[in-house]
Amino acid sequence: MSHKVAILPGDGIGPEIIAEAVRVLDILSAEYGLAVEIEQADVGGTAYDAQGQPLPDSTLQVAREADAVLLGSVGGPQWESLDRPLRPEQGLLGLRAELSLFSNLRPAILYPQLVDASTLKPEVVSGLDIMIVRELTGGIYFGQPRGVRTLDNGEQQGFNTLVYAESEIERIGRSAFEIARKRDGRLCSVDKANVLEVSELWRQVITRLAEEYSDVELSHMYVDNAAMQLVREPKQFDVMVTGNMFGDILSDAAAMLTGSIGMLPSASLDRDGKGMYEPIHGSAPDIAGQGVANPLATVLSVSMMLRYSLDEAALADRVDAAVGSVLDSGLRTADIASANTQTVGTREMGDAVVAALQPE
Ligand code: IPM
Ligand code: MG
């Protein structure tokens, strides 16, 4: 049976990096029998320019009908002054919500070849392998009411609502416990239970769930401390689980430990394992169109897609190995370059990955 993959290149460097990921899918189908049907659609600012909406119905349709979605990136300065519902980010948030992609997996892995790219000391980060599990369809990102209102004194007041129902906490908790079980068996739940009622409930529900996962060692940490521990001693963590906004922030911090946000993929999954895959870096408008962006996070997103949604773990291993061997060969895009490496552009990096995937 053929896998249906929706490809949404989006804005900025999105189209350039997605093009390299598509070449990886192409060689997997040409050489390794991957049966894949690709359909492309617009999202983000590009979709707004072409169709007046960051998430056109036709795009949502393509995404719904696919087994998995591969997304480049959205956003750019030219769309920042649009009304909020028309901004590129709404394309992303709309896909997450409409497809119920509540479980966001953000690995932060330090490739041994890139240990010098980190701003932290090698002994602090070498061997780093953390998985952040971020709740993605609830919390303050989606809570109602929200808006800007005028107070009696004429002053404006902005407001958002942080809400989590037990069932939402339980399902993201299960995702995280299941993942921890397949890794080192340690889960750290991050909250702000010393201040927020929502977090108190979060902690109760996660603690209750732990009874079903006695093989996983659960700990709890306040988010401010977690941010500090991530830069102090990041290797203490195996899996972290947290709400939408804390996860947004902590995952950027964790990404930077690895030296390059240009290396990190992500998966956003629904309850049945359907998923959307994207590099965790943004659209990088400053370098868009120059052919210098790092395509490896997107290539590694293809690997996650093969593993988590398409049930093609052996091919995922091949892609991971190809990326490893390209790094071994000393090729680097500008974002991960260091002394004694050879700097190449997006296309050359894609060429190298494709070459590494050629059968002997
Ligand atoms: C991310 C991004 C998004 C988020 C933005 C672009 C809406 O920062 O995926 O982490 O805040 O979730
Ligand atoms: Mg973010």
Side-chain angles (χ1 to χ4, degrees):
M1 205 193 64
S2 179
H3 306 293
K4 279 185 150 181
V5 175
I7 303 266
L8 314 181
D11 310 325
I13 59 172
E16 300 160 52
I17 53 179
I18 283 284
E20 302 312 314
V22 169
R23 292 171 71 210
V24 166
L25 283 173
D26 287 345
I27 184 159
L28 294 178
S29 40
E31 300 291 349
Y32 301 98
L34 174 70
V36 56
E37 246 173 84
I38 288 178
E39 193 153 359
Q40 276 215 12
D42 289 336
V43 72
T46 314
Y48 171 79
D49 288 346
Q51 309 183 43
Q53 292 288 337
L55 181 56
D57 289 342
S58 52
T59 297
L60 191 53
Q61 182 78 8
V62 168
R64 278 193 205 288
E65 285 168 6
D67 300 311
V69 178
L70 183 66
L71 183 133
S73 54
V74 298
Q78 65 269 52
W79 300 293
E80 264 164 24
S81 55
L82 290 172
D83 283 346
R84 186 164 297 278
L86 297 176
R87 288 192 208 157
E89 290 74 15
Q90 294 304 314
L92 192 58
L93 296 170
L95 282 164
R96 290 173 180 172
E98 292 292 332
L99 302 178
S100 304
L101 306 173
F102 66 91
S103 177
N104 183 209
L105 314 187
R106 299 191 161 191
I109 295 172
L110 183 85
Y111 287 81
Q113 301 92 332
L114 299 181
V115 71
D116 293 327
S118 178
T119 49
L120 275 77
K121 295 194 192 101
E123 62 268 29
V124 176
V125 291
S126 70
L128 185 82
D129 181 356
I130 301 177
M131 177 69 90
I132 296 190
V133 180
R134 168 188 177 194
E135 200 290 327
L136 202 60
T137 54
I140 198 164
Y141 270 52
F142 293 95
Q144 294 289 347
R146 61 190 293 159
V148 179
R149 60 193 162 206
T150 306
L151 299 176
D152 289 345
N153 67 3
E155 181 185 22
Q156 293 214 302
Q157 182 188 55
F159 58 102
N160 289 88
T161 304
L162 173 53
V163 276
Y164 271 117
E166 276 183 277
S167 56
E168 289 176 292
I169 304 168
E170 198 175 310
R171 67 181 182 178
I172 193 65
R174 274 189 200 289
S175 273
F177 274 109
E178 295 288 341
I179 287 165
R181 185 170 257 183
K182 293 189 196 127
R183 292 174 42 109
D184 200 33
R186 289 178 297 121
L187 176 63
C188 179
S189 172
V190 176
D191 62 39
K192 191 70 187 171
N194 50 345
V195 177
L196 304 174
E197 286 80 358
V198 181
S199 282
E200 233 178 283
L201 181 68
W202 178 281
R203 204 173 262 229
Q204 275 168 26
V205 173
I206 299 284
T207 304
R208 193 167 69 209
L209 260 186
E211 290 167 20
E212 293 176 44
Y213 296 90
S214 53
D215 50 330
V216 174
E217 186 193 312
L218 173 68
S219 58
H220 301 275
M221 202 178 273
Y222 298 139
V223 63
D224 48 351
N225 186 25
M228 181 173 77
Q229 295 300 331
L230 266 177
V231 289
R232 193 183 77 91
E233 197 197 330
K235 283 188 274 182
Q236 70 185 282
F237 297 112
D238 176 26
V239 180
M240 303 174 88
V241 62
T242 190
N244 206 341
M245 188 158 71
F246 295 162
D248 179 45
I249 299 165
L250 293 180
S251 62
D252 265 29
M256 212 51 229
L257 300 175
T258 71
S260 177
I261 200 160
M263 291 296 300
L264 298 179
S266 73
S268 307
L269 305 172
D270 75 1
R271 64 169 62 242
D272 304 314
K274 172 169 174 169
M276 180 160 80
Y277 298 82
E278 50 177 317
I280 85 159
H281 59 69
S283 58
D286 52 320
I287 57 164
Q290 298 175 17
V292 298
N294 187 348
L296 293 180
T298 316
V299 169
L300 292 167
S301 298
V302 169
S303 159
M304 283 191 99
M305 175 172 87
L306 292 164
R307 204 178 292 285
Y308 288 96
S309 286
L310 307 186
D311 206 15
E312 301 274 5
L315 291 182
D317 290 342
R318 274 189 196 280
V319 174
D320 293 347
V323 170
S325 80
V326 168
L327 293 175
D328 283 339
S329 76
L331 293 190
R332 304 280 187 272
T333 42
D335 58 312
I336 51 175
S338 59
N340 305 320
T341 61
Q342 186 193 344
T343 305
V344 296
T346 310
R347 180 34 71 99
E348 292 84 355
M349 189 56 109
D351 288 342
V353 174
V354 169
L357 282 167
Q358 276 315 335
E360 304 285 290

